[in-house]
Amino acid sequence: WTRADVSIGTTVAIATGAALNPLIGILIDRIGPRRVGLFGIALICAAMALLGTATGTRANWIGLWLIVAAGGLCVQPMVWAAAVASRFNAARGLALGINMVGPASGIAIFPLLSTWLIAHYGWRTGFIALGAIWAALLLPLNFLYFRGAADGGRARRQTAKAAADVLPGLWVREALRRPSFYMLTIAASLFTFTLVGITVHLVPILVDGGIVKMTAATLAFASGLCAITGRLGTGFVLDRFRAPNVAAAAMVLPIGGCALLLLHGGWWMQAAAALLIGFAMGAEFELVTYLATRHLGLR
C-alpha cells in the first residue's frame, strides 16, 4: 500500500468526526461527559485492537476506521474539556492545559512504543497490545475519578441545566450570528488540517529525510514532550496575557516547522522542526477551547 492508501483510514475518521461533532456536543449536554467518555474509551480501545485484524482490502480498512471514528468521537478533547470548563473559572486556562497533558503524553509515548512493538512482535500484535494498554490505563482511572458538574444523575443534570440559564455567554443561535464564531472555526480548521497531516506522517517524513526509523520515532517522542509543554505553557500564558496575541504567536510555529522540513538541512534541523510542530500541536486545542469559552461563554 502507498502512504495515501494507509491515510484513507485517518481521513475517514477525521471526516466522520467533523460531521458528527455537534451531535456529541449535544449528547454531552444531555447525559454528561462521564457516560460519553467511558463508552468512548471502551470503544476506541476495542477499535484499536481490531485494526490488528485487517485483511488487506481497502473496504475492510475503511470499515475498521469507521469503528475507530465512532470511538474517537467519544474520547475527543471536547469531552474532557466540557467537564473541566464546568468546574474551573479563574484558572481555566491552566486547568485545561493540565487536563490536556493526557493526549499530549500519548503523542509522545505511543509512536516510540508502537515502533518497538511492531519491531519485536509484528504490526498485528502491536495494534492489539496498544488497545489493551489503553484500556488498562484509562478505564479504571476514568471510572473512579472523571465527573463533570452535570454528571451524577438526573437531579445533578437538571441543576447544571438550570445553572446554565444564568451563565454568561450566548445560546447556539446567538453564537451563530457572531463573526468571532466563524473566524475561530476557520482558523482552527486550517490549523488542524496542517498539523494532523504532518503529525500522522511525521516518522515517515523524517525517515525520508535520512533519519533511521527508531531515531525518527524518538524525535516523535520529543515532539510529544513539546506538545505537553505547549499545553501547560499555553494555559499558563493565557491566564496572564491577551489570548489573541498568544494564539497569533502559536499559529506561526507550524510554518517554521514545515520550512525546516523542506530544507533537509541535517538531523538537527529535522529535530527542530519536530519540536516546533509538537509545541504547536499542544497549543492548538487549548487555544480554541479557551477562546471559545471567553468569546462565546459557557452557556
Side-chain angles (χ1 to χ4, degrees):
W1 282 15
T2 65
R3 249 171 238 165
D5 291 328
V6 175
S7 299
I8 289 172
T10 51
T11 302
V12 166
I14 294 167
T16 303
L20 298 181
N21 265 342
L23 295 179
I24 298 299
I26 293 170
L27 200 59
I28 291 170
D29 290 336
R30 293 281 176 85
I31 67 174
R34 174 179 169 81
R35 293 182 182 181
V36 175
L38 287 174
F39 172 77
I41 290 169
L43 185 56
I44 194 69
C45 292
M48 185 57 57
L50 282 172
L51 287 174
T53 68
T55 62
T57 67
R58 194 172 279 106
N60 171 259
W61 186 241
I62 292 172
L64 290 171
W65 273 96
L66 284 172
I67 302 173
V68 173
L73 277 167
C74 299
V75 296
Q76 61 183 298
M78 175 173 61
V79 176
W80 323 111
V84 172
S86 71
R87 292 185 175 273
F88 289 85
N89 184 33
R92 187 180 300 148
L94 182 58
L96 285 167
I98 293 171
N99 178 248
M100 290 301 132
V101 165
S105 300
I107 294 171
I109 295 168
F110 281 97
L112 200 61
L113 177 60
S114 59
T115 301
W116 184 86
L117 286 169
I118 290 167
H120 287 79
Y121 301 104
W123 65 270
R124 290 189 185 277
T125 303
F127 273 125
I128 295 169
L130 286 177
I133 291 168
W134 284 3
L137 289 173
L138 297 178
L139 279 172
L141 284 173
N142 283 277
F143 181 79
L144 292 172
Y145 301 116
F146 179 58
R147 286 175 179 83
D151 288 312
R154 179 174 295 180
R156 181 78 63 86
R157 288 195 296 276
Q158 288 175 344
T159 301
K161 187 176 185 300
D165 291 338
V166 296
L167 284 173
L170 310 173
W171 297 107
V172 172
R173 61 182 178 273
E174 296 170 329
L176 289 174
R177 293 197 291 267
R178 292 293 181 93
S180 57
F181 172 82
Y182 295 100
M183 288 189 286
L184 186 60
T185 300
I186 292 168
S189 299
L190 293 174
F191 200 61
T192 304
F193 180 83
T194 303
L195 283 176
V196 169
I198 297 171
T199 305
V200 168
H201 296 289
L202 183 59
V203 172
I205 289 171
L206 294 172
V207 170
D208 284 351
I211 295 175
V212 298
K213 187 172 289 186
M214 202 63 195
T215 303
T218 304
L219 287 178
F221 170 77
S223 177
L225 293 180
C226 279
I228 295 173
T229 305
R231 290 266 157 90
L232 292 173
T234 302
F236 180 82
V237 172
L238 280 171
D239 289 330
R240 286 159 178 80
F241 298 97
R242 289 189 70 247
N245 294 342
V246 178
M251 291 287 178
V252 175
L253 295 176
I255 299 173
C258 289
L260 291 174
L261 287 174
L262 287 169
L263 290 173
H264 291 291
W267 71 268
W268 64 270
M269 198 173 285
Q270 307 274 38
L275 298 183
L276 282 174
I277 290 165
F279 194 91
M281 196 75 178
E284 182 256 348
F285 184 79
E286 174 79 4
L287 287 165
V288 173
T289 304
Y290 188 92
L291 288 167
T293 57
R294 289 304 183 200
H295 283 279
L296 306 174
L298 286 173
R299 182 183 292 175

